[in-house]
Amino acid sequence: IVSLLRTYARWQVAFNIDQLRRVAERMRATAQQFDAEGAVSASYSLGVLMQRNAGRSQSEVGEEVAWTAAAAAARSLLAPVW
């Protein structure tokens, strides 16, 4: 997941905001499988993708749900780092 997110963020690949929400939820569900470096990298890349794709969202509610899911994933992944 980490390398894919990093590549997509670098190449500015466009995604539907709901797809990014699902990625965030999957990251949270598999948080135990991330090491500290991977957790930081994945969270950063997801944040970059969320920022770039938020403007394309048709629904403010959907965008808010996606940001909430991304924040929950980051809290879950980055707990060992903090």
Side-chain angles (χ1 to χ4, degrees):
I1 290 176
V2 176
S3 61
L4 284 173
L5 285 173
R6 192 178 313 135
T7 300
Y8 293 157
R10 184 180 323 128
W11 289 97
Q12 301 182 12
V13 176
F15 287 98
N16 182 305
I17 199 79
D18 192 53
Q19 292 171 325
L20 293 173
R21 177 192 55 81
R22 285 185 269 173
V23 169
E25 289 171 352
R26 178 66 61 177
M27 288 170 55
R28 187 172 181 203
T30 60
Q32 299 299 331
Q33 298 176 6
F34 287 86
D35 62 359
E37 183 180 340
V40 171
S41 180
S43 297
Y44 174 77
S45 295
L46 180 62
V48 169
L49 287 168
M50 292 283 296
Q51 287 176 336
R52 288 185 181 147
N53 290 283
R56 297 182 181 117
S57 177
Q58 299 297 321
S59 167
E60 286 186 26
V61 173
E63 184 179 336
E64 183 65 31
V65 170
W67 277 109
T68 301
R75 278 192 300 276
S76 178
L77 290 171
L78 299 176
V81 176
W82 295 107

